[in-house]
Every structure is written in structure tokens, then in C-alpha cells.
Amino acid sequence: MNHRKIVRNSDVMTKKFVMVDGLHTVADAIELASAQDVRVLLVNKRNEDDEFGMVLMSDIAKKVLAKDKAPERVNIYEIMIKPVLSVSPEMDVRYCARLFERFGITKAPVIEAGKILGFVSYHDLVLKGMMAEKQ
């Protein structure tokens, strides 16, 4: 029998993130990300029936910087990923890594009961998840 310790998303997730509104400008978002030292911005729902969104620094680089757009004139809703593929806090990190691979994503919010608890990335899965298995 395999008595391997199950490491869950809740064990490795990053709890440090910033919530922004889709109407914020990219310039506002960059300022918030810099001030809070975060690399992921999660976008609030507009209403109960809406879905969360997400903006990565790579999205800003590809959709604003590379296209020479003014960050003061681009709103977050124009470049965000929405809806986002989310994961459960109880999911085994091995399955989360497989999900990331299958869908070609690198980060996902951890959502429980409609509330964002944090997010996981390949970085978290490998560095925190694989180290936790050894303990």
C-alpha cells in the first residue's frame, strides 16, 4: 500500500493577491501590483451571476506593452482572462498539475463556496507541494 502524504492545493496556495475591478486601468493595476508585490491580479465579479477574472503580468506585457498601448487608456476588462479555470482547496496537487498541463495554464485561483482563498501556480505545486510530500 502507498502511504504517501496527500498534499492539497490549500497546503501550497499563495494567499497574497490583489483584487481589482475590471474598470481599473492597467496603469492602476500595475501600481497596485507593485505596491503589494504581487504578480497576479484577480478581478472581482460585477454581480452574483458573474465570474472572476485574472490578469497576469504576461497578459499586460503581451496585450499592452508589446502592442505599444498606453496603460492609462486600457481597462483591465479588455485584457483579463475570464472566466478563469479555478481549483478546489481540497484537490491533490498532482491532479492540479495534470489539470494545468491539460489546459495549458500556469496559475489558477483556489475557490471555495464562491470565495477566492488564494491561487496556485506551477511554482507552488513544485516547490511547496513536492517538498511537503517528503515531510
Side-chain angles (χ1 to χ4, degrees):
M1 279 182 21
N2 185 0
H3 292 287
R4 180 185 148 301
K5 178 183 178 196
I6 301 294
V7 180
R8 304 191 185 284
N9 287 333
S10 59
D11 298 326
V12 301
M13 71 183 178
T14 300
K15 295 178 184 175
K16 187 175 179 183
F17 61 91
V18 172
M19 293 296 292
V20 296
D21 187 273
L23 293 175
H24 278 129
T25 65
V26 169
D28 294 336
I30 292 169
E31 196 172 303
L32 275 171
S34 180
Q36 298 292 323
D37 192 30
V38 296
R39 291 176 175 82
V40 176
L41 299 165
L42 297 171
V43 184
N44 260 324
K45 294 179 175 186
R46 291 176 302 190
N47 58 56
E48 184 120 347
D49 297 318
D50 198 12
E51 294 297 326
F52 290 109
M54 183 168 63
V55 175
L56 308 176
M57 294 304 117
S58 59
D59 296 322
I60 294 172
K62 292 173 188 174
K63 298 174 183 176
V64 180
L65 182 61
K67 293 188 177 184
D68 201 23
K69 293 184 176 182
E72 302 81 20
R73 297 181 55 117
V74 178
N75 293 93
I76 288 296
Y77 73 83
E78 298 176 69
I79 65 164
M80 69 182 171
I81 302 161
K82 184 176 178 178
V84 292
L85 187 61
S86 63
V87 295
S88 158
E90 296 304 311
M91 180 185 278
D92 185 319
V93 295
R94 293 175 303 152
Y95 296 121
C96 188
R98 291 175 192 170
L99 188 73
F100 281 15
E101 172 63 23
R102 179 165 292 146
F103 288 97
I105 62 174
T106 60
K107 294 176 177 63
V110 178
I111 299 179
E112 184 173 54
K115 183 176 180 228
I116 296 179
L117 305 178
F119 70 93
V120 289
S121 66
Y122 271 134
H123 181 272
D124 300 319
L125 297 175
V126 172
L127 293 185
K128 297 176 190 174
M130 292 179 83
M131 292 303 294
E133 283 181 352
K134 293 182 178 190
Q135 296 173 357

